[in-house]
């Protein structure tokens, strides 16, 4: 019997364990077995590993295999003609990425019925949503192989596409695209402030630029990241290490004819950034919250500002297959302009998964990838 190694989260905040699982002998019609080429280590993986993110509706059932930003190569296909999201008929050897939960969106619950399928109450995802102690076991990216259920939205990657770019963009780029859609898009000529210079912030910059923003200001830390933001087309950068919140708010005003920005996007995860960010849009401007994924506690805000400025504040999380399709298009069509692949700064073998998770938690890497 053929087996595959996988890294298991058996208990929170404890080293993951490498174990072997049998590969399925027969695939159900429409299912796929893919060999993982590269799996990203996202901040979310680190949070789940630490036990900081619980599954909606209660605690997740362990053990699970994490790793939700994956590129794999089709090893075997179940019966039937299997097509990808774009309509390509798939065959063994094709390179793919996939949406982690769209196949479970029910279409019938309250949120599905009101057109908010990212909030579907029946949604479950690979890489943490399915325990791996029962067949088909291999339901996360930190493994040599992964099983994809029928109806998984998969995306065949162009032959010349860098798998590093897909993994680097990971869940960040479709999340940004979804968020920008929720604020009605960024219109041609608008001024945008991106708070945060991590991966999500850099992709926010790229999406804002490609949407036609006339000026994008990135506020963040670490000189090399702000330099990267400049290389990617940021018109201005503000280093949080040598400025105060008041100075940053003032600087944004100066850069926007005294009005404030049309759009501000929070990509930070730091509660105080929310208090600061809501001072930055112009009257009737839009503020998009994407970074506060984890509950990092309260922020001291002035609610009056929301009324006085008639702010539109939107939160956004998750994404749908169409946002991933848009993201893949951006990655492949603008690879010279935004060398997304360079963001994968470190690669680890599966055996060193714990080092990869630790390095991500300590911000020692721009982004780590696991190469099983
Ligand atoms: Zn639903
Ligand atoms: Zn992620």
């Amino acid at each position: 019997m053929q087996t595959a190694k996988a890294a298991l989260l058996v208990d929170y905040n404890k080293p993951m364990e490498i174990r072997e699982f049998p590969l399925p002998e027969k695939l159900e019609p429409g299912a796929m077995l893919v060999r993982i080429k590269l799996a990203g280590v996202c901040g979310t993986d680190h949070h789940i590993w630490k036990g900081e993110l619980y599954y909606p509706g209660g605690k997740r059932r362990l053990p699970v295999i994490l790793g939700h930003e994956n590129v794999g190569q089709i090893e075997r296909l179940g019966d039937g003609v299997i097509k990808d999201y774009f309509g390509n008929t798939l065959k063994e050897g094709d390179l793919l990425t996939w949406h982690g939960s769209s196949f479970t969106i029910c279409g019938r619950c309250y949120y599905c019925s009101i057109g908010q399928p990212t909030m579907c109450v029946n949604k479950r995802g690979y890489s943490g949503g399915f325990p791996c102690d029962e067949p088909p076991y291999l339901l996360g990216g930190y493994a040599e192989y992964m099983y994809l259920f029928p109806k998984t939205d998969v995306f065949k990657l162009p032959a010349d596409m860098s798998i590093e770019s897909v993994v680097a963009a990971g869940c960040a780029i479709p999340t940004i695209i979804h968020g920008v859609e929720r604020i009605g898009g960024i219109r041609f000529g608008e001024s945008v402030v991106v708070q945060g210079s991590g991966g999500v912030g850099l992709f926010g910059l790229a999406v804002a630029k490609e949407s036609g923003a006339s000026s994008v200001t990135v506020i963040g830390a670490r000189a090399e990241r702000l330099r990267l933001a400049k290389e990617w087309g940021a018109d201005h950068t503000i280093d949080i290490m040598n400025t105060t919140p008041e100075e940053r708010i003032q600087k944004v005003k100066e850069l926007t004819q005294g009005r404030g920005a049309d759009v501000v996007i929070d990509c930070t995860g730091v509660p105080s950034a929310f208090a600061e960010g809501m001072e930055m849009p112009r009257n009737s401007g839009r503020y998009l919250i994407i970074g506060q994924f984890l509950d990092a506690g309260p922020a001291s805000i002035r609610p009056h500002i929301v009324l006085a400025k008639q702010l539109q504040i939107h939160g956004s999380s998750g994404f749908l297959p169409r946002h991933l399709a848009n993201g893949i298009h951006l990655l492949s069509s603008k690879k010279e302009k935004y060398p997304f692949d360079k963001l994968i700064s470190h690669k680890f073998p599966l055996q060193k998964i714990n080092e990869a998770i630790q390095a991500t938690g300590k911000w020692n890497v721009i982004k780590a990838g696991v190469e099983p």
Side-chain angles (χ1 to χ4, degrees):
M1 189 198 299
Q2 233 194 320
T3 61
K5 289 193 182 69
L8 263 65
L9 174 67
V10 178
D11 201 357
Y12 296 110
N13 221 348
K14 303 246 169 67
M16 292 189 216
E17 295 175 16
I18 306 288
R19 287 199 206 152
E20 291 210 24
F21 291 98
L23 290 181
E25 279 174 22
K26 184 147 174 46
L27 304 184
E28 49 193 316
M32 272 176 254
L33 185 69
V34 295
R35 191 155 60 83
I36 298 292
K37 303 285 282 181
L38 190 64
V41 184
C42 169
T44 302
D45 294 303
H46 179 257
H47 292 313
I48 297 175
W49 171 76
K50 277 193 92 176
E52 293 171 338
L53 262 188
Y54 290 119
Y55 208 63
K59 225 170 169 170
R60 77 186 69 235
R61 186 158 81 71
L62 299 179
V64 295
I65 302 170
L66 300 181
H68 59 275
E69 301 173 322
N70 307 312
V71 170
Q73 188 165 31
I74 300 177
E75 181 84 7
R76 275 196 272 145
L77 290 158
D79 289 339
V81 175
I82 306 178
K83 297 196 173 194
D84 78 346
Y85 180 86
F86 303 116
N88 299 304
T89 299
L90 298 173
K91 58 183 190 314
E92 285 172 13
D94 284 346
L95 277 180
L96 303 176
T97 190
W98 49 91
H99 191 287
S101 60
S102 57
F103 65 101
T104 62
I105 289 175
C106 76
R108 293 184 309 275
C109 72
Y110 174 74
Y111 291 103
C112 283
S113 76
I114 61 164
Q116 294 283 347
T118 52
M119 309 289 296
C120 173
V121 299
N122 295 308
K123 193 175 68 160
R124 270 175 102 180
Y126 293 117
S127 319
F130 291 91
C132 61
D133 53 1
E134 57 194 29
Y137 309 111
L138 298 162
L139 297 172
Y142 299 155
E144 290 174 315
Y145 289 89
M146 188 165 158
Y147 187 88
L148 298 181
F149 290 113
K151 299 201 173 87
T152 298
D153 283 295
V154 303
F155 300 79
K156 182 178 165 179
L157 301 175
D160 63 341
M161 191 145 180
S162 129
I163 63 172
E164 283 79 9
S165 74
V166 178
V167 169
C171 64
I173 212 156
T175 300
I176 291 273
I177 292 171
H178 172 225
V180 167
E181 182 184 278
R182 284 182 59 77
I183 61 167
I186 292 168
R187 292 186 278 275
F188 190 80
E190 286 194 314
S191 56
V192 176
V193 168
V194 176
Q195 295 177 283
S197 52
V200 184
L202 287 170
F203 294 122
L205 158 68
V207 169
K209 275 286 172 188
E210 293 307 312
S211 303
S214 62
S215 102
V216 182
T217 301
V218 174
I219 302 176
R222 297 207 174 184
E224 73 274 13
R225 283 176 183 247
L226 295 175
R227 220 170 18 244
L228 204 58
K230 277 273 188 187
E231 278 171 33
W232 284 26
D235 299 276
H236 312 281
T237 57
I238 303 175
D239 192 332
I240 57 169
M241 302 311 279
N242 54 29
T243 50
T244 64
E246 293 71 29
E247 286 168 345
R248 295 191 285 273
I249 292 162
Q250 188 54 36
K251 183 77 187 159
V252 168
K253 287 222 170 86
E254 283 167 23
L255 293 170
T256 51
Q257 293 90 43
R259 282 196 300 273
D262 298 307
V263 173
V264 178
I265 306 176
D266 159 72
C267 306
T268 66
V270 180
S272 62
F274 175 65
E276 183 179 324
M278 59 189 279
E279 307 275 345
M280 291 176 176
R282 63 163 162 79
N283 289 345
S284 197
R286 284 111 74 208
Y287 189 22
L288 171 62
I289 313 297
I290 283 181
Q292 311 285 342
F293 191 57
L294 202 69
D295 185 354
S300 177
I301 61 163
R302 294 195 298 155
H304 166 73
I305 290 289
V306 182
L307 176 143
K309 290 180 134 187
Q310 301 196 40
L311 286 186
Q312 304 171 55
I313 301 181
H314 298 256
S316 186
S317 75
F319 56 89
L320 296 171
R322 69 170 183 273
H323 306 116
L324 185 51
N326 291 339
I328 292 168
H329 177 71
L330 176 63
L331 293 177
S332 68
S333 62
K334 302 286 173 185
K335 57 178 178 263
E336 271 87 42
K337 198 162 165 193
Y338 311 105
F340 298 99
D341 52 330
K342 300 245 161 48
L343 295 181
I344 298 283
S345 58
H346 294 71
K347 283 187 186 173
F348 295 85
L350 187 62
Q351 283 71 18
K352 298 205 168 160
I353 180 68
N354 293 301
E355 280 178 40
I357 287 278
Q358 295 285 356
T360 301
K362 289 180 186 143
W363 291 81
N364 288 343
V365 291
I366 298 184
K367 180 138 186 173
V370 175
E371 225 167 16

